[in-house]
Amino acid sequence: IDFIYSAKEILKHGYKFNFLLVGPIDEKNKSSINKNYLLKINKTFKKIKWVGHKSNLKKIFNEAILMCFPSYHEGSPRALIEAASNGLPIICYDIPGCRTIVKNEYNGILVKVKNKKLLTKKLIEIIQNKKKLNIYSNNSIKMSKKFLIQNFNKNYKKFYSRFCSV
């Protein structure tokens, strides 16, 4: 809902971007966004579209200039790792999981949770600053390397070797 709010505000300012909401609806989660609401958004706004679940996000990431991820709670969001590895700057709420992947003012921007006005302001600031978009994009790629499976395996081996050698 915060993403849709921001998209509407940005469109009011005359920007011509397309805003894609990607992912399934968690119908078991009462706080999840309502499917009928998303279908209404699809009919009402040409520039804001819910596309549902996508198993391969490569095409979407290739066409995007940034990723906005205003989740209120996450574990370790794989979508952010994938976005970073595709060179996308990321704007998200400052929550555990997200702040592991996004370093504020390095590869994206962290915003106080549920502050949709600040989220919108930061989105506008970054889309107006191509230099910052490029810097964040390059840094996202660097940051994503931290999450490669080879690096995880190397760190686990180091961790366990300390216990085995004691």
Side-chain angles (χ1 to χ4, degrees):
I1 290 173
D2 292 6
F3 176 77
I4 293 169
Y5 169 88
S6 291
K8 288 178 184 178
E9 290 297 309
I10 290 167
L11 291 171
K12 279 184 201 174
H13 283 85
Y15 292 97
K16 306 288 186 217
F17 294 104
N18 292 314
F19 297 86
L20 291 181
L21 290 129
V22 182
I25 294 173
D26 184 359
E27 294 182 28
K28 295 176 185 173
N29 181 350
K30 291 179 183 176
S31 68
S32 181
I33 196 164
N34 180 291
K35 184 176 183 176
N36 290 331
Y37 176 71
L38 289 176
L39 293 174
K40 181 181 172 189
I41 290 294
N42 277 359
K43 286 181 184 175
T44 308
F45 296 91
K46 292 179 182 172
K47 296 281 188 182
I48 305 171
K49 290 291 171 210
W50 171 56
V51 296
H53 172 75
K54 297 290 179 193
S55 56
N56 185 350
L57 296 173
K58 188 78 172 160
K59 183 178 182 218
I60 291 170
F61 288 148
N62 285 339
E63 294 175 5
I65 63 164
L66 65 87
M67 172 130 178
C68 179
F69 198 80
S71 180
Y72 295 166
H73 44 82
E74 284 297 324
S76 183
R78 191 176 118 197
L80 289 186
I81 296 169
E82 290 178 20
S85 70
N86 281 278
L88 288 179
I90 301 166
I91 296 181
C92 61
Y93 283 145
D94 188 3
I95 58 172
C98 292
R99 76 173 71 102
T100 303
I101 299 158
V102 178
K103 276 175 74 177
N104 194 42
E105 300 292 337
Y106 176 75
N107 67 322
I109 299 171
L110 296 169
V111 176
K112 186 178 177 189
V113 177
K114 298 184 182 182
N115 191 337
K116 59 189 176 188
K117 288 183 179 181
L118 183 60
L119 179 74
T120 304
K121 179 182 175 197
K122 293 298 181 180
L123 282 164
I124 290 171
E125 283 177 15
I126 196 167
I127 59 179
Q128 290 178 334
N129 191 333
K130 290 191 190 308
K131 184 178 178 185
K132 209 174 238 191
L133 275 171
N134 287 331
I135 291 167
Y136 289 176
S137 176
N138 290 330
N139 290 342
S140 272
I141 293 169
K142 291 175 191 172
M143 187 71 154
S144 71
K145 293 184 177 169
K146 213 170 102 159
F147 299 98
L148 291 173
I149 192 70
Q150 297 91 330
N151 292 340
F152 275 118
N153 290 342
K154 196 184 313 178
N155 289 334
Y156 280 127
K157 285 179 183 177
K158 278 184 192 176
F159 177 78
Y160 287 116
S161 69
R162 280 192 242 154
F163 290 106
C164 293
S165 64
V166 175

